[in-house]
Amino acid sequence: MTAKSIPRILIIAGSDSGGGAGIQADIKAVTMLGGHAMTAITAVTAQNSLGVDAVHPVPAEIVLAQIDAVVRDIGVDAIKIGMIGSAFTARMVAERLAAMEPRVPLVFDPVMIATSGAALADEATIEAFGALMDLATVTTPNLPELTRLTGKEDPVEGALGLVSKHRCAVLVKGGHDEGEAVADALIEEDNLTSWQGTRIETPHSHGTGCTLASAIAFGLGEGRRLADAVAQARNFVRIALLEAPGLGEGHGPMGQGQVRLDVGGSPRLNQVTVTGKDYVKQVAFYTKLGLTQIVGSPENGYARFEAWGGVTFSVQIDPEEEIAPTTAVYFECDDLDSRVEALARSGMVFEHGPRDQPWLWREARLRDPAGNIIFLYRAGEARRFPPWRMAEG
């Protein structure tokens, strides 16, 4: 990988003009996970949440030229293949990737039919998928795609056949199955790993397969074991489904852009808890500050709040605890001055208003009802990249 250790993921797939699936979903997933997404576009589609209106395949030589350009200059840590465009393109891409040195992990998502039901691969193209599966680290068909690839109604039997024939792992995805539970199974030559979760009921699931495959490619690109990469990718997809913005009149896009702190590198700070004396006053204070309460348990003296981006902040009530205000909690606010002015007008008392500090932050200071020190601040690039930041390594 590069000096900054950012996984470089090459995505070979079609473009979705509606931004829900295809290259657009792939880029969002890789970017939100912290990787660098590169693309070789195989087809341009005119589509939205209701369906696919038109498909224009990109000539195979242009697809290969895109691959060569990024490999030659930037390098690749993992590859994801989605919609391939044509049988000829599939064969040409397979030949080119087979000649790559060094070989890198490859995730093949055998896209055949869009979420809306539109066909995205003809019989000849599906037959050519075999050459790509021969190169793949893992193939990620949904249940209808698995049946089409193998002719087997039993998904496990079909997957085992692909593993034996192509020597690649197969992730059997249960999203198209019925019932409240969703089960996925990763079948490798010498191992089987399964996951189960509650089905997320939403019409806004366009791009789940693309997002999952790209997220797996990211995990492999950063050096994770296949099962660990799949686990991370499943978590990413589930959060993106829960965060779907509800766009479009049909199968709308997911909310990849809202998945920030739920998956990724470790350790990552995602929860701070302070002690309080009075539950009602503490909840009122932090709600007024602009946080969203997501857990309320007054009988246990506990409240949890969510800030923008997903980070959480909690208050634990303990009337007997001696609170020593030696730890300060900082909430970053791009609208610092106007927010402080509005809060002060509403009756909130600040120890001092917004001030420019020598460390290049602008801060306002106050205390919560229990006496904990709270700063509202704006730092911009100086939060992570001050002039005196220590050099990496």
Side-chain angles (χ1 to χ4, degrees), residues 79-347:
I79 299 169
K80 179 263 172 136
I81 300 178
M83 179 185 178
I84 200 63
S86 71
F88 181 70
T89 299
R91 290 193 293 270
M92 293 299 98
V93 168
E95 287 184 13
R96 186 59 53 89
L97 297 182
M100 275 185 60
E101 290 293 341
R103 293 281 291 275
V104 299
L106 190 155
V107 180
F108 177 46
D109 183 24
V111 176
M112 302 177 192
I113 300 174
T115 303
S116 61
L120 297 177
D122 57 21
E123 284 295 335
T125 303
I126 295 171
E127 289 180 11
F129 283 172
L132 296 171
M133 286 189 282
D134 287 340
L135 301 173
T137 305
V138 61
T139 299
T140 61
N142 59 35
L143 292 179
E145 291 166 345
L146 183 58
T147 300
R148 185 86 174 273
L149 286 170
T150 65
K152 304 292 185 181
E153 291 299 324
D154 184 334
V156 175
E157 181 185 0
L160 287 171
L162 292 180
V163 172
S164 175
K165 182 177 181 179
H166 299 286
R167 317 299 291 184
C168 70
V170 175
L171 178 63
V172 181
K173 301 182 297 188
H176 283 72
D177 210 350
E178 297 181 353
E180 293 185 4
V182 177
D184 301 325
L186 175 65
I187 301 177
E188 303 174 81
E189 290 187 86
D190 57 355
N191 194 35
L192 185 150
T193 309
S194 62
W195 298 267
Q196 193 166 30
T198 304
R199 184 178 301 277
I200 298 171
E201 296 291 349
T202 175
H204 303 291
S205 58
H206 191 39
T208 49
C210 304
T211 300
L212 180 69
S214 286
I216 294 172
F218 169 84
L220 294 175
E222 66 173 354
R224 291 176 183 257
R225 294 187 313 117
L226 177 57
D228 293 338
V230 172
Q232 179 190 53
R234 290 184 74 260
N235 192 24
F236 184 94
V237 169
R238 290 184 64 82
I239 299 296
L241 282 170
L242 292 169
E243 289 281 8
L247 303 176
E249 299 178 6
H251 295 285
M254 302 160 64
Q256 295 97 331
Q258 299 301 314
V259 187
R260 294 177 175 86
L261 293 172
D262 301 280
V263 296
S266 299
R268 56 186 181 272
L269 181 62
N270 191 28
Q271 167 72 23
V272 174
T273 301
V274 298
T275 303
K277 299 286 190 179
D278 186 303
Y279 181 87
V280 173
K281 289 182 178 179
Q282 292 290 91
V283 168
F285 175 86
Y286 287 106
T287 301
K288 193 173 184 178
L289 209 60
L291 303 184
T292 300
Q293 186 175 8
I294 58 173
V295 176
S297 182
E299 66 277 11
N300 295 312
Y302 180 78
R304 183 183 299 171
F305 304 84
E306 186 176 64
W308 189 92
V311 68
T312 56
F313 175 83
S314 299
V315 175
Q316 181 65 59
I317 303 302
D318 185 350
E320 306 302 322
E321 180 71 24
E322 188 66 35
I323 298 175
T326 57
T327 300
V329 179
Y330 284 75
F331 293 104
E332 189 159 13
C333 306
D334 293 336
D335 58 346
L336 175 65
D337 287 69
S338 59
R339 180 178 292 269
V340 170
E341 181 180 355
L343 290 172
R345 285 179 178 176
S346 72

Side-chain angles (χ1 to χ4, degrees), residues 1-50:
M1 290 193 290
T2 66
K4 292 280 288 185
S5 296
I6 180 172
R8 303 160 295 179
I9 312 302
L10 171 60
I11 303 152
I12 305 170
S15 169
D16 174 1
S17 58
I23 286 287
Q24 286 79 356
D26 298 321
I27 292 173
K28 286 185 277 189
V30 170
T31 301
M32 293 312 300
L33 283 163
H36 175 67
M38 303 168 292
T39 63
I41 297 176
T42 60
V44 176
T45 71
Q47 64 175 294
N48 53 31
S49 69
L50 298 174

